[in-house]
PDB file of all heavy atoms in Angstrom:
ATOM      1  N   THR W  23       0.862  -1.178   0.029  1.00 70.00           N
ATOM      2  CA  THR W  23      -0.044   0.009  -0.011  1.00 70.00           C
ATOM      3  C   THR W  23       0.842   1.259  -0.029  1.00 70.00           C
ATOM      4  O   THR W  23       0.634   2.198  -0.772  1.00 70.00           O
ATOM      5  CB  THR W  23      -0.967  -0.049   1.215  1.00 70.00           C
ATOM      6  OG1 THR W  23      -1.780  -1.176   1.236  1.00 70.00           O
ATOM      7  CG2 THR W  23      -1.834   1.282   1.247  1.00 70.00           C
ATOM      8  N   VAL W  24       1.879   1.276   0.849  1.00 68.00           N
ATOM      9  CA  VAL W  24       2.787   2.404   0.904  1.00 68.00           C
ATOM     10  C   VAL W  24       3.586   2.534  -0.381  1.00 68.00           C
ATOM     11  O   VAL W  24       3.797   3.620  -0.874  1.00 68.00           O
ATOM     12  CB  VAL W  24       3.776   2.286   2.132  1.00 68.00           C
ATOM     13  CG1 VAL W  24       4.826   3.405   2.081  1.00 68.00           C
ATOM     14  CG2 VAL W  24       3.045   2.303   3.399  1.00 68.00           C
ATOM     15  N   ARG W  25       3.956   1.424  -0.977  1.00 64.00           N
ATOM     16  CA  ARG W  25       4.650   1.331  -2.252  1.00 64.00           C
ATOM     17  C   ARG W  25       3.888   2.084  -3.360  1.00 64.00           C
ATOM     18  O   ARG W  25       4.460   2.721  -4.259  1.00 64.00           O
ATOM     19  CB  ARG W  25       4.971  -0.079  -2.636  1.00 64.00           C
ATOM     20  CG  ARG W  25       5.843  -0.225  -3.937  1.00 64.00           C
ATOM     21  CD  ARG W  25       5.863  -1.719  -4.284  1.00 64.00           C
ATOM     22  NE  ARG W  25       6.802  -1.913  -5.406  1.00 64.00           N
ATOM     23  CZ  ARG W  25       6.387  -1.824  -6.696  1.00 64.00           C
ATOM     24  NH1 ARG W  25       5.164  -1.477  -6.909  1.00 64.00           N
ATOM     25  NH2 ARG W  25       7.242  -2.083  -7.646  1.00 64.00           N
ATOM     26  N   LYS W  26       2.587   1.969  -3.314  1.00 65.00           N
ATOM     27  CA  LYS W  26       1.779   2.617  -4.332  1.00 65.00           C
ATOM     28  C   LYS W  26       1.346   4.019  -3.942  1.00 65.00           C
ATOM     29  O   LYS W  26       0.542   4.656  -4.609  1.00 65.00           O
ATOM     30  CB  LYS W  26       0.473   1.756  -4.531  1.00 65.00           C
ATOM     31  CG  LYS W  26       0.700   0.358  -5.008  1.00 65.00           C
ATOM     32  CD  LYS W  26      -0.623  -0.440  -5.018  1.00 65.00           C
ATOM     33  CE  LYS W  26      -0.375  -1.862  -5.534  1.00 65.00           C
ATOM     34  NZ  LYS W  26      -1.642  -2.683  -5.403  1.00 65.00           N
ATOM     35  N   ASP W  27       1.979   4.539  -2.878  1.00 63.00           N
ATOM     36  CA  ASP W  27       1.628   5.920  -2.418  1.00 63.00           C
ATOM     37  C   ASP W  27       0.133   6.011  -2.073  1.00 63.00           C
ATOM     38  O   ASP W  27      -0.508   6.987  -2.394  1.00 63.00           O
ATOM     39  CB  ASP W  27       2.012   6.990  -3.432  1.00 63.00           C
ATOM     40  CG  ASP W  27       1.839   8.381  -2.921  1.00 63.00           C
ATOM     41  OD1 ASP W  27       1.956   8.507  -1.673  1.00 63.00           O
ATOM     42  OD2 ASP W  27       1.628   9.343  -3.727  1.00 63.00           O
ATOM     43  N   ALA W  28      -0.368   4.945  -1.474  1.00 59.00           N
ATOM     44  CA  ALA W  28      -1.836   4.878  -1.076  1.00 59.00           C
ATOM     45  C   ALA W  28      -2.001   4.905   0.429  1.00 59.00           C
ATOM     46  O   ALA W  28      -3.043   4.532   0.899  1.00 59.00           O
ATOM     47  CB  ALA W  28      -2.469   3.670  -1.714  1.00 59.00           C
ATOM     48  N   ALA W  29      -0.954   5.368   1.094  1.00 69.00           N
ATOM     49  CA  ALA W  29      -1.037   5.336   2.608  1.00 69.00           C
ATOM     50  C   ALA W  29      -0.542   6.767   3.018  1.00 69.00           C
ATOM     51  O   ALA W  29       0.621   6.854   3.446  1.00 69.00           O
ATOM     52  CB  ALA W  29      -0.145   4.251   3.254  1.00 69.00           C
ATOM     53  N   PRO W  30      -1.327   7.808   2.902  1.00 78.00           N
ATOM     54  CA  PRO W  30      -0.849   9.153   3.268  1.00 78.00           C
ATOM     55  C   PRO W  30      -0.384   9.221   4.694  1.00 78.00           C
ATOM     56  O   PRO W  30      -0.967   8.572   5.559  1.00 78.00           O
ATOM     57  CB  PRO W  30      -2.178  10.009   3.161  1.00 78.00           C
ATOM     58  CG  PRO W  30      -3.046   9.231   2.158  1.00 78.00           C
ATOM     59  CD  PRO W  30      -2.742   7.756   2.417  1.00 78.00           C
ATOM     60  N   GLY W  31       0.687   9.883   4.818  1.00 88.00           N
ATOM     61  CA  GLY W  31       1.346   9.936   6.222  1.00 88.00           C
ATOM     62  C   GLY W  31       2.511   8.989   6.375  1.00 88.00           C
ATOM     63  O   GLY W  31       3.245   9.086   7.325  1.00 88.00           O
ATOM     64  N   ARG W  32       2.641   8.005   5.493  1.00 90.00           N
ATOM     65  CA  ARG W  32       3.766   7.084   5.563  1.00 90.00           C
ATOM     66  C   ARG W  32       4.501   6.931   4.292  1.00 90.00           C
ATOM     67  O   ARG W  32       3.909   7.086   3.166  1.00 90.00           O
ATOM     68  CB  ARG W  32       3.299   5.654   6.008  1.00 90.00           C
ATOM     69  CG  ARG W  32       2.671   5.648   7.396  1.00 90.00           C
ATOM     70  CD  ARG W  32       2.344   4.243   7.887  1.00 90.00           C
ATOM     71  NE  ARG W  32       1.359   3.635   7.006  1.00 90.00           N
ATOM     72  CZ  ARG W  32       1.040   2.313   7.043  1.00 90.00           C
ATOM     73  NH1 ARG W  32       1.683   1.516   7.851  1.00 90.00           N
ATOM     74  NH2 ARG W  32       0.063   1.912   6.267  1.00 90.00           N
ATOM     75  N   ILE W  33       5.835   6.803   4.366  1.00 92.00           N
ATOM     76  CA  ILE W  33       6.694   6.703   3.143  1.00 92.00           C
ATOM     77  C   ILE W  33       7.550   5.507   3.161  1.00 92.00           C
ATOM     78  O   ILE W  33       7.930   5.000   4.192  1.00 92.00           O
ATOM     79  CB  ILE W  33       7.462   8.064   2.961  1.00 92.00           C
ATOM     80  CG1 ILE W  33       8.041   8.245   1.629  1.00 92.00           C
ATOM     81  CG2 ILE W  33       8.609   8.095   4.076  1.00 92.00           C
ATOM     82  CD1 ILE W  33       8.598   9.604   1.374  1.00 92.00           C
ATOM     83  N   MET W  34       7.858   5.062   2.009  1.00 90.00           N
ATOM     84  CA  MET W  34       8.676   3.911   1.767  1.00 90.00           C
ATOM     85  C   MET W  34      10.130   4.342   1.578  1.00 90.00           C
ATOM     86  O   MET W  34      10.401   5.140   0.689  1.00 90.00           O
ATOM     87  CB  MET W  34       8.275   3.046   0.605  1.00 90.00           C
ATOM     88  CG  MET W  34       9.029   1.803   0.277  1.00 90.00           C
ATOM     89  SD  MET W  34       8.271   0.947  -1.096  1.00 90.00           S
ATOM     90  CE  MET W  34       9.411  -0.269  -1.511  1.00 90.00           C
ATOM     91  N   VAL W  35      11.074   3.794   2.372  1.00 92.00           N
ATOM     92  CA  VAL W  35      12.441   4.162   2.267  1.00 92.00           C
ATOM     93  C   VAL W  35      13.244   2.848   1.879  1.00 92.00           C
ATOM     94  O   VAL W  35      13.101   1.833   2.554  1.00 92.00           O
ATOM     95  CB  VAL W  35      13.031   4.697   3.617  1.00 92.00           C
ATOM     96  CG1 VAL W  35      14.492   4.973   3.470  1.00 92.00           C
ATOM     97  CG2 VAL W  35      12.299   5.982   3.993  1.00 92.00           C
ATOM     98  N   GLU W  36      14.005   2.899   0.771  1.00 90.00           N
ATOM     99  CA  GLU W  36      14.781   1.733   0.405  1.00 90.00           C
ATOM    100  C   GLU W  36      16.173   2.092  -0.090  1.00 90.00           C
ATOM    101  O   GLU W  36      16.330   3.132  -0.820  1.00 90.00           O
ATOM    102  CB  GLU W  36      13.950   0.908  -0.654  1.00 90.00           C
ATOM    103  CG  GLU W  36      13.544   1.646  -1.844  1.00 90.00           C
ATOM    104  CD  GLU W  36      12.819   0.711  -2.842  1.00 90.00           C
ATOM    105  OE1 GLU W  36      13.128  -0.488  -2.869  1.00 90.00           O
ATOM    106  OE2 GLU W  36      11.803   1.140  -3.444  1.00 90.00           O
ATOM    107  N   GLY W  37      17.154   1.292   0.232  1.00 89.00           N
ATOM    108  CA  GLY W  37      18.479   1.526  -0.261  1.00 89.00           C
ATOM    109  C   GLY W  37      19.442   1.874   0.865  1.00 89.00           C
ATOM    110  O   GLY W  37      19.035   2.279   1.938  1.00 89.00           O
ATOM    111  N   ALA W  38      20.735   1.871   0.528  1.00 90.00           N
ATOM    112  CA  ALA W  38      21.718   2.075   1.549  1.00 90.00           C
ATOM    113  C   ALA W  38      21.840   3.561   1.922  1.00 90.00           C
ATOM    114  O   ALA W  38      21.669   3.852   3.121  1.00 90.00           O
ATOM    115  CB  ALA W  38      23.149   1.636   1.044  1.00 90.00           C
ATOM    116  N   TRP W  39      22.137   4.517   1.045  1.00 90.00           N
ATOM    117  CA  TRP W  39      22.243   5.934   1.422  1.00 90.00           C
ATOM    118  C   TRP W  39      20.901   6.457   1.959  1.00 90.00           C
ATOM    119  O   TRP W  39      20.908   7.270   2.920  1.00 90.00           O
ATOM    120  CB  TRP W  39      22.680   6.740   0.371  1.00 90.00           C
ATOM    121  CG  TRP W  39      21.711   7.136  -0.753  1.00 90.00           C
ATOM    122  CD1 TRP W  39      21.627   6.646  -1.980  1.00 90.00           C
ATOM    123  CD2 TRP W  39      20.733   8.156  -0.643  1.00 90.00           C
ATOM    124  NE1 TRP W  39      20.608   7.204  -2.649  1.00 90.00           N
ATOM    125  CE2 TRP W  39      19.994   8.101  -1.878  1.00 90.00           C
ATOM    126  CE3 TRP W  39      20.381   9.099   0.313  1.00 90.00           C
ATOM    127  CZ2 TRP W  39      18.968   9.071  -2.126  1.00 90.00           C
ATOM    128  CZ3 TRP W  39      19.326   9.942   0.052  1.00 90.00           C
ATOM    129  CH2 TRP W  39      18.645   9.928  -1.194  1.00 90.00           C
ATOM    130  N   GLU W  40      19.762   5.920   1.480  1.00 91.00           N
ATOM    131  CA  GLU W  40      18.476   6.303   2.017  1.00 91.00           C
ATOM    132  C   GLU W  40      18.269   6.042   3.506  1.00 91.00           C
ATOM    133  O   GLU W  40      17.807   6.783   4.255  1.00 91.00           O
ATOM    134  CB  GLU W  40      17.359   5.691   1.232  1.00 91.00           C
ATOM    135  CG  GLU W  40      17.199   6.218  -0.210  1.00 91.00           C
ATOM    136  CD  GLU W  40      18.111   5.477  -1.244  1.00 91.00           C
ATOM    137  OE1 GLU W  40      18.964   4.744  -0.793  1.00 91.00           O
ATOM    138  OE2 GLU W  40      17.822   5.639  -2.460  1.00 91.00           O
ATOM    139  N   HIS W  41      18.796   4.857   3.876  1.00 94.00           N
ATOM    140  CA  HIS W  41      18.709   4.492   5.309  1.00 94.00           C
ATOM    141  C   HIS W  41      19.853   5.163   6.121  1.00 94.00           C
ATOM    142  O   HIS W  41      19.665   5.416   7.260  1.00 94.00           O
ATOM    143  CB  HIS W  41      18.864   2.893   5.394  1.00 94.00           C
ATOM    144  CG  HIS W  41      17.590   2.192   5.211  1.00 94.00           C
ATOM    145  ND1 HIS W  41      17.110   1.936   3.960  1.00 94.00           N
ATOM    146  CD2 HIS W  41      16.635   1.753   6.086  1.00 94.00           C
ATOM    147  CE1 HIS W  41      15.956   1.344   3.971  1.00 94.00           C
ATOM    148  NE2 HIS W  41      15.647   1.192   5.322  1.00 94.00           N
ATOM    149  N   ASP W  42      20.960   5.530   5.464  1.00 93.00           N
ATOM    150  CA  ASP W  42      21.889   6.442   6.212  1.00 93.00           C
ATOM    151  C   ASP W  42      21.228   7.746   6.603  1.00 93.00           C
ATOM    152  O   ASP W  42      21.393   8.246   7.666  1.00 93.00           O
ATOM    153  CB  ASP W  42      23.155   6.681   5.404  1.00 93.00           C
ATOM    154  CG  ASP W  42      24.029   5.448   5.209  1.00 93.00           C
ATOM    155  OD1 ASP W  42      23.940   4.544   6.114  1.00 93.00           O
ATOM    156  OD2 ASP W  42      24.819   5.436   4.313  1.00 93.00           O
ATOM    157  N   GLN W  43      20.456   8.250   5.667  1.00 93.00           N
ATOM    158  CA  GLN W  43      19.736   9.567   5.892  1.00 93.00           C
ATOM    159  C   GLN W  43      18.695   9.248   6.995  1.00 93.00           C
ATOM    160  O   GLN W  43      18.458  10.117   7.907  1.00 93.00           O
ATOM    161  CB  GLN W  43      19.049  10.046   4.602  1.00 93.00           C
ATOM    162  CG  GLN W  43      20.039  10.469   3.589  1.00 93.00           C
ATOM    163  CD  GLN W  43      20.950  11.650   4.052  1.00 93.00           C
ATOM    164  OE1 GLN W  43      22.185  11.404   4.182  1.00 93.00           O
ATOM    165  NE2 GLN W  43      20.424  12.775   4.232  1.00 93.00           N
ATOM    166  N   LEU W  44      18.040   8.189   6.880  1.00 95.00           N
ATOM    167  CA  LEU W  44      17.008   7.801   7.922  1.00 95.00           C
ATOM    168  C   LEU W  44      17.646   7.796   9.251  1.00 95.00           C
ATOM    169  O   LEU W  44      17.045   8.289  10.299  1.00 95.00           O
ATOM    170  CB  LEU W  44      16.380   6.554   7.543  1.00 95.00           C
ATOM    171  CG  LEU W  44      15.340   5.973   8.616  1.00 95.00           C
ATOM    172  CD1 LEU W  44      14.197   6.958   8.770  1.00 95.00           C
ATOM    173  CD2 LEU W  44      14.870   4.538   8.051  1.00 95.00           C
ATOM    174  N   LEU W  45      18.811   7.156   9.446  1.00 95.00           N
ATOM    175  CA  LEU W  45      19.445   7.074  10.736  1.00 95.00           C
ATOM    176  C   LEU W  45      19.923   8.399  11.325  1.00 95.00           C
ATOM    177  O   LEU W  45      19.965   8.534  12.538  1.00 95.00           O
ATOM    178  CB  LEU W  45      20.719   6.184  10.563  1.00 95.00           C
ATOM    179  CG  LEU W  45      20.397   4.656  10.405  1.00 95.00           C
ATOM    180  CD1 LEU W  45      21.600   3.892   9.959  1.00 95.00           C
ATOM    181  CD2 LEU W  45      19.834   4.085  11.755  1.00 95.00           C
ATOM    182  N   THR W  46      20.140   9.406  10.473  1.00 93.00           N
ATOM    183  CA  THR W  46      20.516  10.717  10.991  1.00 93.00           C
ATOM    184  C   THR W  46      19.292  11.598  11.320  1.00 93.00           C
ATOM    185  O   THR W  46      19.445  12.699  11.908  1.00 93.00           O
ATOM    186  CB  THR W  46      21.404  11.472   9.919  1.00 93.00           C
ATOM    187  OG1 THR W  46      20.599  11.744   8.730  1.00 93.00           O
ATOM    188  CG2 THR W  46      22.643  10.698   9.594  1.00 93.00           C
ATOM    189  N   SER W  47      18.069  11.093  10.994  1.00 92.00           N
ATOM    190  CA  SER W  47      16.871  11.931  11.107  1.00 92.00           C
ATOM    191  C   SER W  47      16.332  11.767  12.511  1.00 92.00           C
ATOM    192  O   SER W  47      15.376  12.617  12.880  1.00 92.00           O
ATOM    193  CB  SER W  47      15.869  11.533  10.146  1.00 92.00           C
ATOM    194  OG  SER W  47      15.275  10.227  10.454  1.00 92.00           O
ATOM    195  N   ALA W  48      16.674  10.809  13.294  1.00 86.00           N
ATOM    196  CA  ALA W  48      16.128  10.615  14.644  1.00 86.00           C
ATOM    197  C   ALA W  48      14.667  10.152  14.547  1.00 86.00           C
ATOM    198  O   ALA W  48      13.916  10.261  15.535  1.00 86.00           O
ATOM    199  CB  ALA W  48      16.229  11.808  15.527  1.00 86.00           C
ATOM    200  N   ILE W  49      14.217   9.704  13.448  1.00 94.00           N
ATOM    201  CA  ILE W  49      12.876   9.172  13.182  1.00 94.00           C
ATOM    202  C   ILE W  49      12.987   7.610  13.108  1.00 94.00           C
ATOM    203  O   ILE W  49      13.672   7.113  12.296  1.00 94.00           O
ATOM    204  CB  ILE W  49      12.204   9.706  12.004  1.00 94.00           C
ATOM    205  CG1 ILE W  49      11.953  11.228  12.145  1.00 94.00           C
ATOM    206  CG2 ILE W  49      10.873   8.986  11.672  1.00 94.00           C
ATOM    207  CD1 ILE W  49      11.283  11.962  10.896  1.00 94.00           C
ATOM    208  N   ASP W  50      12.236   6.962  13.913  1.00 95.00           N
ATOM    209  CA  ASP W  50      12.223   5.488  14.018  1.00 95.00           C
ATOM    210  C   ASP W  50      11.290   4.806  12.987  1.00 95.00           C
ATOM    211  O   ASP W  50      10.124   5.312  12.895  1.00 95.00           O
ATOM    212  CB  ASP W  50      11.938   4.981  15.390  1.00 95.00           C
ATOM    213  CG  ASP W  50      12.962   5.448  16.456  1.00 95.00           C
ATOM    214  OD1 ASP W  50      14.096   5.652  16.021  1.00 95.00           O
ATOM    215  OD2 ASP W  50      12.622   5.407  17.593  1.00 95.00           O
TER     216      ASP W  50
END
């Protein structure tokens, strides 16, 4: 559902540098 952008308020994160950014955001 998130993959299809059908879940407003949630986003799909995939890949190495994308997760590096996620880790610096303090969002779990």
Side-chain angles (χ1 to χ4, degrees):
T23 301
V24 176
R25 183 184 184 277
K26 297 175 183 176
D27 188 24
R32 294 188 296 167
I33 196 168
M34 179 176 170
V35 176
E36 53 179 324
W39 76 257
E40 289 89 345
H41 278 81
D42 287 340
Q43 295 300 112
L44 175 60
L45 286 166
T46 64
S47 73
I49 294 178
D50 295 336

